């Protein structure tokens, strides 16, 4: 496969395949794969209670063994945890998607048109960002009522400013560049300039930022569920499972531990991928990497 | 220099005003659309309609929202956050009562994260590309990926149960010092109450560590990145050419410059810590502002929610102000 | 640079010294016998008996104030406290109480009949949340210094039980007048303890009342520490940081019962937990449907696996701990029988749940964390017979809001009695003159409930309540769930404590051995 790619494509691919990206992707792909396979293959209904309450991992079950044990209602944890993959990941994707699209539009409009519109929009973003995020999310989620959907909206609202500011910065710097000025003079509509010329330039930092924010979104949503403002019983959701399981930590360590571990692994995967992408996409690091490494080496060597 | 700092400060303070107004508005708006009737929460399920009406009048909940907001604004300017309907106490007193607990926790967490993060970050930067560097980077990414809800739980079990650390509250009530600063660690030392000090230290260790570990992961990465960048910059290269000794080079120039982004992010991270500790304070029964906010949201205690969020936001705005001024001070190259 | 190494070295030594000190230095015997440290998950809201209407406040208030009547240790039977005895006229409309002499308030003034009158009138005037309970009192007359007479608006047989409720506890008129609103933070009563300090949401400190009329309490000081997180309370108990713990969650109970260093007491309580339905709506207006729900729930599963044996089954409207409970109720109560449930559902016109609307089950898990899991079991049980239910977990005030606005399909809640008399279940919960939560309307129930209030003869009342239980179970307005037991966990050296079904927490007889 690789052999047929052009040399440029190979180089790009190599650039993206940082070790951290590879590790992060493997974790993510592994979890997603299990998230697809387990619900299809598992003989257990994630919602059905049973008499096998709080069984330890690997104990005997009526069909499969209970690989990760059972919860306080006798439901198979392994099945529930991987059922939750699609819920938690979908929630994170929608949350970040929502925040990115709204933030992007605000940032683009604000940066491109400037003036009073810019001041007003950015003031609003300043206000949003000067209320600590999770606190605002709690207030919003509480105002809307406790549900997973509302938790999603709450987290999206509080993360909009991140993208709006990012986007505005990029827009401002690109706007003055020659080709945009040229496009303007050529009589292109604002809409086309925004989407044809400015947006592509902003993609790299947006992608890096949103990858990392996917991890944060998972933590936020899980935390909201943890304090009772997110998912509701009997929804299989990691934060809720962790929250309910915490009561049984002493007698059934597996119940809260595995959902917690899943949150950790997924967040870790997103952070690793984000790191890798940043290294690959950050233009400042590109090309200078080799020279820089040699300087450090010389510097340290000459000192010792 | 002094003049420009003053000018700068003045301009920054002016920027703060619309922000604070905006915060007040958002918080007020949100707390009014919260579902649930606070009067029923106060009076209980068996309240009579006359009773409910009476309390609604007393609290001014029968006026329109605009009037309520204007009245509220006037009160906030006088630093009067109103009375908690439910806990039956002045919100201001409640906040000042809980503030030292949160501050002490956050400060200890900061110190812990610096003790852990800073040296590791420096070592990683100096040994860039070696296994040490890799290890620190791995630790860093693990640290920032650790969900507080899980970490706090695990620490509570390991230390609280298997190692017998006292858990919950700030100090054993029998060892409690007289309130001077409100910081247990300082108050006990002022009294020469060494057992109290140790008890308080043990109790603060776990929640502080829960907050500090993710923070130190972040710090590690930041220190490393900015150290490396500075080490590679023309600035240091020039200094090296001028034959500045290595120690001076590393500590005075490289470290000082590397600290600039660190200070900024620590300032920004303040918000994350203060709110991240809503979880930590709940898990560890820590009587701070984070837990207060959580309780207030559950009980629909409008006044406390408003007061606490505004209070924290004000502190946050203030912290960022200080950070900006520090920035100005540390880095002579920046003339904003 | 040597100075830098020195600094690092000194810091290192300090850190190591602190760590060593933490490990090695143990504080000298702190746990003085005379101080009782109580850990609880309940957070008092007010210490004014006229305003308090929650268990958390009651626990503290009951130790600062005395009521005229109290319960015999460990029972729901009444005995005098500030009143030596009492009597009523034939139809239970005039009640006379004879007060104990020589009882002093914390401020040194002596308790007289005038103070009792003052306190009742004050409570009526303040119109706190529980004030509706004394609506029954028309006037209070001072017969002489030690005799007080209550004239009621209508016959009310449970009146002495009502006088055991903290709302009626005499307060010092001088202190109440002088302090006004701040009386709630500086309560002055006749009880065995005085308030020393109260940090809201954190701790309440009580000190012994040296001049208490029953003699000085055995402990000098009670420190009540409030734990918002029940798991922290359990750890504090296991580490010996608290002497007594109230509010341990059911999932922690089995382990603590087995812990050899900790002892416990438990008693069947008076709190009942049920699943209510909105009888004004389809399909809940259909008794067959409601019976199907009653048969569909796996009660034993809930009691064993979620409540871990910390509760007993509720078969009808009354908990077993109250007089008037029908000992034969099990014979006609509902038991888990999914087949029968399916049959009834089909008879009701919804074979396998076809044609049912979307049903919401409202809960609030704030005060009972296990309710979420119980609801999940019920949801699964109902799903098995074809009824799809969505659980909606609300904060307490929203929950109450929707409950009182009758904006619900199903709900789960508990009921804590104000006074230990069967009337306090039937009248508010099943009579149309009561709260009318479910829209339950049975004229026979109304009539019998009213009749039972007017009769002072306990045997006749018992017969009426037996009949009422039969009717209500047959009508099945609720699915009757469980009665949580009350638990207290203590260190081995704590003695003298007695649990009351009515959750009267009395620290007076408690002492610690060395």
């Amino acid at each position: 496969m690789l052999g047929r790619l052009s040399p440029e494509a190979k180089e790009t691919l190599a650039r993206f395949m940082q070790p951290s990206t590879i590790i992060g992707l493997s974790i993510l792909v592994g979890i997603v794969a299990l998230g697809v396979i387990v619900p299809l293959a598992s003989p257990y209904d994630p919602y059905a209670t049973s008499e096998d309450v709080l069984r330890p991992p690997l104990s005997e079950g009526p069909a499969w063994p209970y690989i990760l044990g059972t919860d306080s209602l006798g439901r198979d944890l392994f099945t529930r945890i991987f059922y939750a993959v699609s819920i938690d990941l979908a929630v994170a994707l929608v949350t970040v998607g929502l925040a990115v699209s709204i933030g992007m539009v605000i940032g683009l409009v604000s940066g491109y048109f400037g003036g009073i519109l810019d001041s007003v929009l950015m003031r609003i973003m300043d206000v949003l960002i000067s209320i600590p995020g999770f606190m605002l999310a709690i207030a919003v989620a509480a105002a809307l009522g406790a549900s997973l959907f509302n938790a999603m909206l709450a987290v999206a609202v509080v993360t909009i400013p991140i993208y709006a500011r990012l986007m505005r910065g990029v827009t401002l710097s690109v706007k003055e560049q020659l080709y945009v000025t040229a496009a303007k003079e050529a009589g292109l509509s604002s809409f086309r300039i925004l989407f044809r010329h400015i947006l592509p330039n902003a993609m790299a930092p947006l992608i890096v930022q949103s990858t990392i924010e996917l991890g944060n979104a998972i933590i936020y949503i899980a935390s909201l569920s943890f304090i009772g403002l997110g998912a509701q019983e009997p929804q299989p959701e990691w934060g809720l499972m962790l929250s309910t399981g915490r009561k049984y930590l002493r007698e059934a360590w597996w119940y809260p531990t595995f959902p917690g571990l899943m949150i950790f692994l997924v967040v870790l995967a997103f952070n690793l991928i984000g790191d890798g992408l940043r290294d690959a996409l950050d233009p400042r690091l590109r090309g200078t990497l080799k020279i820089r490494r040699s300087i450090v080496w010389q510097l340290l060597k000459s000192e010792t | 220099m002094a003049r420009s700092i003053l000018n700068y400060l003045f301009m920054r303070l002016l920027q703060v005003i619309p922000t604070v107004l905006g915060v007040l508005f958002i918080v007020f708006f949100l707390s009014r659309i919260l579902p649930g009737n606070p009067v029923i929460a106060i009076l209980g399920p068996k309240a009579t309609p006359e009773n409910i009406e009476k309390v609604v009048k007393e609290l001014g909940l029968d006026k329109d929202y605009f009037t309520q907001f204007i009245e509220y604004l006037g009160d906030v300017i006088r630093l009067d956050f109103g009375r908690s309907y439910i806990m039956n106490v002045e919100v201001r007193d409640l906040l000042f009562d809980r503030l030292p607990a949160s501050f002490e926790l956050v400060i200890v967490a900061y110190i812990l994260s610096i003790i852990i993060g800073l040296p590791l970050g420096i070592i990683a930067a100096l040994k860039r590309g070696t296994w040490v560097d890799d290890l620190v980077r791995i630790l860093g990414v693990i640290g920032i990926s650790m969900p507080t809800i899980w970490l706090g739980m695990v620490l509570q079990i390991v230390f609280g149960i298997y190692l017998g650390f006292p858990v919950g509250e700030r100090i054993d009530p029998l060892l409690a010092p007289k309130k001077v600063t409100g910081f247990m660690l300082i108050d006990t030392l002022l009294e020469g109450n060494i057992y109290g000090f140790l008890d308080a230290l043990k109790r603060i260790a776990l929640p502080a560590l829960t907050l500090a570990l993710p923070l130190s992961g972040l710090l590690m990465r930041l220190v490393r990145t900015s150290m490396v960048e500075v080490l590679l910059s023309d600035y240091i290269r020039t200094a090296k050419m001028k034959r500045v000794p290595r120690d001076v080079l590393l500590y005075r120039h490289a470290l000082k410059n590397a600290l600039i982004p660190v200070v900024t992010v620590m300032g920004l991270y303040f918000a994350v810590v203060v709110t991240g500790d809503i979880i930590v304070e709940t898990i560890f029964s820590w009587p701070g502002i984070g837990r207060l906010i959580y309780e207030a949201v559950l009980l629909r205690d409008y006044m406390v929610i408003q007061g606490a969020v505004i209070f924290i936001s004000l502190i946050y705005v203030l912290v960022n102000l200080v950070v900006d001024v520090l920035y100005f001070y540390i880095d002579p190259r920046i003339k904003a | 640079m040597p100075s830098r190494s020195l600094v690092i070295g000194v810091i290192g030594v300090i850190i190591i010294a602190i760590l060593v000190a933490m490990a090695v230095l143990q504080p000298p015997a702190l746990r003085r016998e005379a101080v009782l440290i109580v850990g609880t998950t309940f957070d008092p809201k007010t210490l004014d008996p006229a305003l308090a209407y929650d268990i958390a406040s009651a626990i503290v208030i009951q130790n600062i104030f005395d009521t005229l009547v109290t319960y015999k240790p460990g029972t729901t039977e009444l005995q005098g406290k500030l009143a030596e005895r009492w009597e009523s006229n034939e139809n239970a409309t005039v009640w006379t109480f004879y007060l104990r002499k020589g009882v002093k308030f914390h401020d040194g003034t002596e308790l007289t009949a005038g103070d009792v009158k003052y306190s009742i009138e004050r409570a009526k005037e303040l119109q706190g949340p529980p004030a509706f309970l004394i609506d029954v009192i028309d006037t209070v007359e001072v017969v002489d210094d030690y005799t007080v007479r209550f004239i009621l608006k209508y016959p009310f047989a449970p009146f002495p039980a009502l006088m055991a409720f903290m709302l009626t506890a005499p307060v010092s008129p001088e202190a109440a007048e002088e302090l006004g609103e701040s009386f709630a933070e500086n309560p002055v009563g006749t009880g065995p303890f005085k308030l020393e300090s109260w940090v809201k949401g954190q701790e309440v400190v009580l000190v012994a009342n040296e001049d208490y009329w029953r003699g000085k309490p055995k402990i000098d000081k009670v420190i009540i520490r409030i734990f918002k997180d029940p798991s922290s309370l359990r750890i504090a108990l296991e580490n010996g940081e608290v002497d007594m713990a109230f509010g341990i969650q059911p999932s922690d109970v089995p382990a603590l019962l087995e812990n050899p260093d900790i002892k416990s007491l438990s008693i069947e309580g008076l709190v009942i937990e049920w699943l209510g339905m909105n009888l004004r709506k389809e399909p809940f207006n259909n008794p067959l449907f409601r019976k199907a729900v009653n048969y569909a729930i796996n009660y034993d599963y809930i009691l064993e696996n979620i409540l871990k044996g910390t509760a007993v089954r509720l078969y009808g409207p009354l908990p077993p701990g109250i007089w008037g409970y029908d000992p034969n109720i099990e014979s006609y109560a509902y038991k888990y029988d999914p087949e029968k449930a399916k049959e009834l559902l089909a008879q009701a016109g919804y074979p396998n749940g076809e044609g049912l609307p979307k049903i919401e089950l409202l809960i609030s898990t704030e005060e009972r964390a296990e309710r979420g899991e119980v609801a999940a079991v019920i949801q699964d049980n109902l799903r098995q017979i074809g009824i799809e239910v969505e659980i909606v977990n609300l904060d307490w005030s929203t929950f109450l809001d929707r409950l009182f606005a009758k904006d619900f399909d199903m709900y789960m809640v508990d009921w804590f009695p104000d006074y230990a008399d069967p009337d306090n279940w039937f009248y508010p919960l099943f009579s149309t003159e009561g709260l009318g939560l479910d829209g339950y309307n049975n004229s026979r129930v109304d009539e019998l409930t009213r009749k039972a209030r007017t009769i002072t003869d306990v045997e006749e009342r018992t017969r009426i309540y037996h009949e009422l239980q039969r009717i209500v179970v047959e009508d099945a307005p609720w699915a009757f769930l469980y009665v949580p037991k009350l638990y207290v966990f203590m260190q081995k050296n704590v003695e003298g404590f007695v649990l009351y079904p009515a959750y009267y927490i009395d620290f007076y007889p408690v002492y610690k051995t060395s």
Side-chain angles (χ1 to χ4, degrees), chain A residues 161-246:
Chain A
I162 298 174
Y163 306 104
R165 285 183 157 189
L166 190 82
M167 199 63 212
R168 178 175 174 271
V170 177
T171 312
L172 281 178
S173 69
V174 176
K175 199 168 83 170
E176 299 313 320
Q177 276 168 24
L178 199 64
Y179 64 96
V180 173
T181 329
K184 248 186 196 167
E185 274 162 17
L188 287 180
S189 70
S190 297
F191 188 80
R192 282 192 64 155
I193 296 172
L194 283 174
F195 285 88
R196 276 282 166 80
H197 300 283
I198 296 182
L199 199 55
N201 275 286
M203 282 330 274
L206 266 184
I207 289 172
V208 173
Q209 191 66 41
S210 16
T211 312
I212 292 169
E213 289 298 324
L214 276 172
N216 285 341
I218 291 210
I219 291 195
Y220 266 27
I221 302 267
S223 303
L224 283 176
S225 295
F226 183 80
I227 59 174
L229 287 175
Q232 300 297 322
E233 271 291 344
Q235 235 164 2
E237 194 278 332
W238 296 326
L240 180 65
M241 290 162 86
L242 180 55
S243 161
T244 319
R246 195 162 74 91

Side-chain angles (χ1 to χ4, degrees), chain B residues 57-70:
Chain B
K57 272 237 169 65
E58 258 175 41
L59 302 175
L61 290 172
D62 55 337
K63 295 179 191 147
D64 64 289
Y65 285 164
F66 182 73
T67 317
Q68 285 187 40
F69 181 62
I70 296 298

Side-chain angles (χ1 to χ4, degrees), chain B residues 166-169 171-174 203, chain C residues 31 35-41 202 223-227 230 232-246 248 256 261-263 488-494 512:
Chain B
V167 172
E169 303 304 318
I171 196 165
D172 189 317
L174 297 181
R203 282 168 201 264
Chain C
R31 310 277 160 216
V35 179
L36 182 76
I37 300 177
V38 177
T40 167
T41 51
Q202 297 181 38
I223 300 176
I224 301 170
R225 292 174 63 192
I226 295 138
F227 288 77
S232 304
L233 175 59
R234 173 175 166 191
I235 297 173
L237 178 72
E238 287 171 331
N239 288 349
E241 286 171 51
V242 295
D243 296 314
M244 296 176 90
F246 297 98
I248 293 281
L256 285 175
D261 303 325
I262 287 165
K263 64 179 182 182
V488 58
F489 290 91
M490 296 170 283
Q491 302 299 339
K492 284 270 185 223
N493 62 343
V494 178
K512 283 160 83 177

